[in-house]
Amino acid sequence: MPELPEVETTVRGLNAKIRNRIFVGLWSDWKKTVKKPRSFAQFEKELHGKKVQRVWRRAKNVIIDLSEGYSLLIHQKMAGHLLVGRWHQESGRWISDERGPLDEKINLYIHLLFTFDDGSMMALSDYRKFAKAELWKTDELLRSPEFIQLGPEPLDKQFTVEKFETVFHRKRGKVKQVLMDPYVIAGIGNIYSSEALWWAKINPFKDVSQLSKKELAWLYTAVQKVLAAGVKLRGESFADYRDVHGKKGEFDTERKVYKREGELCSRCKRAKILRVKIGGRSAFYCPYCQKA
DNA sequence: TGCAGTGTTGCTTC
DNA sequence: CGAAGCAACACTGC
């Protein structure tokens, strides 16, 4: 579900709510969510008593830095939601104490529930059970290969158009797939790659090695534009993304091609948006604006 | 009923 | 050996 803007929205929400809180309790009905340490009991034991220092994001990972040099990493994968609030259990189900957007549906899929020292809680809801939680020593996480190998952050000030060109010229393959490769550039998934390519007027099938310098510059600008708009609008909730309070994002007003197959392109008004398969995923584009 | 799905990984094949 | 392709993960909703 979440791509960079959605994860960023979640991270900002967590920072406002759980800083300085101390982990005192843990509940789970799907312990496989915890991947590290291997043993759930060990995870629970090591987490207990740790204080939240700050929450940040790398690619689509939420990282909660803790006292004593620990970091809790959570990846929401396709359908995970991180929520904060208070819940109580009724006949085996978690019920939100608050009225409003944290409705019953999302609560049904809570598989991991952390309790803090002040009685507030952080829940990981995930109807597909793909999300993962890992407890690391912070320095080990930062030195781990899977972390080091991640591509640059597209919204970093240091991520210049020159860096973008360098990163892309090293690769080959369909530009759509390369954009979604977290080891090439971080945080871009199926929605924002489709949107960026539409803004840049680039055909998603085009091989990255065939992109002109001009096209690379357009794509660089488009990637930053759609991601920044996504963050500003607090994410895309076309599917089921919600922020930590269960609220929807507003990026849907900006959605130009994703899941719009058959609709007239809003820019050229001469062609209908196509849906095709690239690398096993659906890609959406305007065959007129984004000629091969 | 069948299939697609916001992501990533790891296995197989070339 | 590297790259590419694809199943697997597990479940809901159209």
Side-chain angles (χ1 to χ4, degrees), chain A residues 169-196:
Chain A
H169 269 317
R170 280 209 306 261
K171 298 291 294 186
R172 53 201 165 89
K174 299 176 183 71
V175 59
K176 163 84 177 168
Q177 278 182 280
V178 175
L179 264 182
M180 289 196 294
D181 182 345
Y183 298 108
V184 174
I185 183 167
I188 304 172
N190 210 15
I191 297 176
Y192 292 94
S193 58
S194 285
E195 297 297 313

Side-chain angles (χ1 to χ4, degrees), chain A residues 10-279:
Chain A
T10 293
V11 161
R12 290 179 185 185
L14 289 176
N15 259 316
K17 285 287 172 185
I18 68 166
R19 266 192 196 221
N20 297 319
R21 295 276 62 82
I22 296 166
F23 285 95
V24 298
L26 181 62
W27 170 92
S28 179
D29 69 345
W30 189 255
K31 297 181 177 174
K32 277 169 76 176
T33 304
V34 171
K35 305 287 185 194
K36 186 183 163 68
R38 288 268 181 78
S39 131
F40 182 85
Q42 187 67 17
F43 175 85
E44 186 171 18
K45 191 176 151 199
E46 284 183 41
L47 189 64
H48 189 93
K50 301 289 188 295
K51 186 173 183 173
V52 175
Q53 294 179 331
R54 66 162 189 143
V55 188
W56 57 291
R57 179 189 60 75
R58 178 73 174 101
K60 295 167 188 160
N61 299 290
V62 173
I63 299 153
I64 305 175
D65 281 346
L66 307 173
S67 53
E68 298 169 59
Y70 280 84
S71 292
L72 176 60
L73 179 150
I74 293 169
H75 197 300
Q76 302 169 89
K77 295 287 178 85
M78 297 285 265
H81 292 91
L82 274 171
L83 309 166
V84 290
R86 288 169 194 252
W87 289 263
H88 63 277
Q89 228 168 2
E90 271 176 33
S91 53
R93 288 182 177 179
W94 288 103
I95 312 288
S96 174
D97 291 357
E98 297 129 69
R99 294 172 191 280
L102 273 181
D103 58 35
E104 277 184 35
K105 201 75 182 286
I106 206 165
N107 295 328
L108 284 180
Y109 308 110
I110 291 176
H111 296 305
L112 204 52
L113 187 66
F114 304 87
T115 306
F116 296 113
D117 54 325
D118 65 349
S120 68
M121 297 169 170
M122 176 173 77
L124 179 60
S125 158
D126 180 19
Y127 74 90
R128 291 178 73 178
K129 295 182 175 172
F130 286 177
K132 66 169 184 180
E134 298 173 342
L135 185 59
W136 290 78
K137 293 288 277 181
T138 307
D139 57 347
E140 284 176 25
L141 172 66
L142 300 181
R143 281 191 273 111
S144 67
E146 56 265 50
F147 211 75
I148 285 173
Q149 288 167 22
L150 286 170
E153 284 292 332
L155 293 183
D156 255 15
K157 284 200 180 73
Q158 297 156 22
F159 188 56
T160 59
V161 68
E162 289 79 18
K163 287 230 176 77
F164 187 75
E165 285 171 6
T166 311
V167 156
F168 267 62
H169 269 317
R170 280 209 306 261
K171 298 291 294 186
R172 53 201 165 89
K174 299 176 183 71
V175 59
K176 163 84 177 168
Q177 278 182 280
V178 175
L179 264 182
M180 289 196 294
D181 182 345
Y183 298 108
V184 174
I185 183 167
I188 304 172
N190 210 15
I191 297 176
Y192 292 94
S193 58
S194 285
E195 297 297 313
L197 288 166
W198 181 85
W199 282 103
K201 301 185 181 176
I202 294 170
N203 186 286
F205 288 98
K206 193 154 184 177
D207 196 287
V208 280
S209 61
Q210 302 299 308
L211 292 174
S212 68
K213 200 161 178 173
K214 206 181 244 179
E215 285 176 313
L216 280 170
W218 289 341
L219 186 54
Y220 170 79
T221 304
V223 161
Q224 293 198 328
K225 176 194 170 86
V226 296
L227 293 177
V231 171
K232 189 171 177 196
L233 295 169
R234 304 177 54 79
E236 162 63 271
S237 292
F238 175 85
D240 57 18
Y241 173 72
R242 301 292 184 272
D243 71 7
V244 297
H245 305 294
K247 269 183 65 181
K248 291 186 178 191
E250 306 293 335
F251 183 80
D252 210 49
T253 58
E254 296 295 311
R255 182 167 52 90
K256 303 296 185 185
V257 286
Y258 181 77
K259 287 278 176 96
R260 287 201 187 280
E261 70 268 32
E263 294 181 33
L264 205 57
C265 170
S266 65
R267 179 171 47 206
C268 67
K269 300 191 170 59
R270 302 174 90 142
K272 288 179 178 175
I273 304 302
L274 292 183
R275 174 195 189 129
V276 294
K277 283 280 177 199
I278 299 180

